[in-house]
Amino acid sequence: MISSVTRRAWALALVTTLATLAACGGGSDSAANDPLPEPTPTPARSGQLESASLLGAIPAADITAALASEESLAEGVVPRYAVTSYRLEYLTTDADGKEVRASGLVSVPQKPAGSKSPVLSYQHGTIFRDAEAPSNNAVASEVAVVLASLGYIVLAPDYVGFGASKGTPHPYLLSTPSAAATADFLTAARTWRGQANVADNGQLFLTGYSEGGYVTMATHRALQTGGSPHLQQLRLVVAGAGPYNVQTTMDGLVDVVRDEQPVIGALINPGFLRYLGGSVQREVRRLLLRALIPGDADVAYDIRFIDRFLADDVRALDEISSVYDYKPNVPVRLYHGRNDRTVPYASSVDTLRAMQQRGAGDLVSLTECRAQPVAGHLECVPPFITFMLGQLAPVVQDL
C-alpha cells in the first residue's frame, strides 16, 4: 500500500497543485465520469492448467538460515521439511474479463512417500517489481517456501500483471479479477497435484496480509457466490490488515493528508473532488498514483478504483472493489493493528460489523495486533504470521 514518507510528499505536492489549478480552472471532462465497463462473461477455460516446471529444491537447513536474518518476516518458525517448488501457468481473466495466461508458485514439503498435506493458499502483499512475484522468487526466505517447510502444500498466485502475465495491467483492488486469479490457480493446482501424484489431505486454508488479505477475502466471497467445489475443502480464512472496505481505506488516506496539511482539508472533503475541472481531476489522480505506486515499479497497474473514488461514486467503488460485506460460511479470523497508517484499522472493524450484521456471529472475529513500540502496518507482519499459524494449529491435520 502506501508509505508515510510518500504520503507526506503527496500532501505537499497536492497543496501546490490544487492551489495553482483551482485558480486556472480547467476542462469539464474527466476519466472519473466514464461509465463502468460492461462485465464480460468468464471464459470457459478459466482454471485450465497450461504448464508446470520444476524450480528446484531447498534444504530445511537453508530455510532455517534464512529465518535467522533480521529481514525475516516469520518469527519462532522451525522448518521441518525440505521444500520443492514448481511454477504453474494457467488461464484466468483480467480486469475486463478477458482470458490471460497467468502463473503462480507451488511449494511442496518433501515428506515420506504416501504422506498427505493440507493446502494453504497464500496471497502475497503489494509488490511493485516482477522479480518479487512468488514464482520468480522461490528462495529460502520466500514466505510460501517457509510455510511449506512446516508441512503445507503452499499455493502462491503471482496475480495478473506479474510472472507469465507481465504486461497485462495488475487489477489493483479490483475484486473480481483478484479473486479469479486465486480461485483459478486453486483449480489449476488441483489438476497438477493429480498429475504429479502430490497428495493433499482434503483441507484448504486461505491467508494473506495487506493486499494479500484483500485478495483472500475477495477469493472467499467469490467461492461462496459461485458455489465453487473448492468450498468442500475450505476450513478457515485468516486475513491481516487488508483494505476490505476500499472507501474507508481511501478516506483514511485523505485523513492523513488532512492531518498533515490542515489548509487543504476543506478542499479534499468527500464530495469536493467530483466538482473539480478535468485538468484538476487528472492532476489529483496523477498524485494519487504517485502515492500508491513508486517510480521504480516495473509492472503496469489497472487502478480504476481511484477514478470511482475521485468521482465520489460510493456505489461503484463498493461494486468493483470492496469485499467486506458478506456472510462467511467458514470461520474468518481478521488481524489488524490500530496504529496502521497504511490500511486503516477501521477497514477491519467495518468488516467485522458488516459480517455480524448479516448473521455471521462467532464465525468472524477481529484480533488486534499489539506489536511494540507501534502496531503499524509493516510492524504487524511478523506477528500476523505467528497469529495465522496459531489459528490453523487446532484445525490442521497431517503436518
Side-chain angles (χ1 to χ4, degrees):
M1 294 295 291
I2 313 155
S3 71
S4 59
V5 173
T6 304
R7 280 182 171 131
R8 286 193 290 272
W10 170 48
L12 291 172
L14 193 56
V15 172
T16 303
T17 302
L18 280 182
T20 301
L21 292 178
C24 295
S28 60
D29 294 334
S30 172
N33 295 320
D34 292 343
L36 287 170
E38 291 295 324
T40 302
T42 300
R45 301 195 301 165
S46 289
Q48 178 174 301
L49 177 65
E50 294 291 283
S51 68
S53 56
L54 174 65
L55 296 177
I58 301 176
D62 289 0
I63 300 171
T64 300
L67 289 171
S69 91
E70 294 182 359
E71 291 76 27
S72 174
L73 297 178
E75 298 176 342
V77 173
V78 180
R80 299 174 59 190
Y81 305 98
V83 174
T84 303
S85 293
Y86 304 82
R87 176 187 172 109
L88 305 188
E89 296 191 5
Y90 65 105
L91 300 180
T92 187
T93 49
D94 66 10
D96 295 314
K98 297 178 181 178
E99 185 176 274
V100 63
R101 183 167 175 146
S103 56
L105 173 68
V106 178
S107 291
V108 181
Q110 294 183 358
K111 295 182 177 180
S115 299
K116 297 182 179 181
S117 301
V119 176
L120 177 60
S121 182
Y122 165 73
Q123 288 63 248
H124 66 77
T126 305
I127 55 177
F128 302 105
R129 302 192 66 81
D130 186 53
E132 298 173 347
S135 78
N136 289 334
N137 192 46
V139 297
S141 59
E142 166 63 37
V143 174
V145 173
V146 172
L147 294 174
S149 76
L150 301 180
Y152 298 91
I153 298 170
V154 180
L155 314 181
D158 292 332
Y159 303 159
V160 170
F162 298 87
S165 59
K166 184 181 178 182
T168 301
H170 171 54
Y172 196 46
L173 301 190
L174 297 177
S175 62
T176 298
S178 294
T182 303
D184 291 338
F185 191 50
L186 291 176
T187 300
R190 183 179 58 191
T191 300
W192 174 81
R193 291 199 303 276
Q195 296 175 352
N197 294 317
V198 174
D200 68 82
N201 71 348
Q203 290 186 312
L204 170 65
F205 303 91
L206 300 177
T207 192
Y209 188 87
S210 192
E211 184 186 1
Y214 171 87
V215 176
T216 293
M217 297 290 279
T219 301
H220 180 217
R221 187 181 68 171
L223 294 179
Q224 283 195 186
T225 302
S228 169
H230 295 297
L231 289 173
Q232 298 174 9
Q233 294 187 324
L234 184 61
R235 298 292 183 267
L236 182 68
V237 175
V238 186
Y244 322 115
N245 185 338
V246 177
Q247 180 72 48
T248 294
T249 301
M250 295 302 291
D251 287 344
L253 175 58
V254 169
D255 286 342
V256 169
V257 176
R258 184 179 293 112
D259 291 344
E260 296 180 356
Q261 298 294 332
V263 174
I264 202 175
L267 295 179
I268 57 175
N269 279 328
F272 172 78
L273 290 175
R274 59 178 165 160
Y275 296 117
L276 296 176
S279 60
V280 181
Q281 281 271 4
R282 286 189 290 273
E283 182 61 17
V284 172
R285 185 180 190 276
R286 184 186 70 81
L287 292 168
L288 276 171
L289 291 181
R290 192 172 70 184
L292 287 166
I293 302 170
D296 64 349
D298 65 359
V299 294
Y301 290 78
D302 182 327
I303 46 175
R304 62 189 71 179
F305 76 93
I306 289 182
D307 294 329
R308 307 307 160 206
F309 175 72
L310 292 176
D312 294 312
D313 195 339
V314 177
R315 179 196 62 80
L317 193 61
D318 189 61
E319 288 181 357
I320 69 172
S321 291
S322 292
V323 295
Y324 70 102
D325 192 6
Y326 70 97
K327 181 181 177 181
N329 59 0
V330 298
V332 172
R333 302 303 177 221
L334 304 173
Y335 187 84
H336 212 142
R338 287 184 183 270
N339 302 124
D340 194 328
R341 298 278 284 176
T342 301
V343 179
Y345 184 72
S347 176
S348 290
V349 173
D350 289 347
T351 304
L352 176 68
R353 289 174 178 169
M355 289 184 167
Q356 289 183 336
Q357 287 174 357
R358 288 185 176 272
D362 293 339
L363 278 180
V364 59
S365 65
L366 171 58
T367 298
E368 182 180 343
C369 170
R370 299 188 181 277
Q372 296 296 327
V374 61
H377 195 68
L378 294 179
E379 292 85 354
C380 285
V381 174
F384 167 73
I385 294 176
T386 301
F387 169 81
M388 179 267 291
L389 292 173
Q391 293 300 303
L392 268 54
V395 184
V396 72
Q397 302 171 1
D398 302 310
L399 286 180

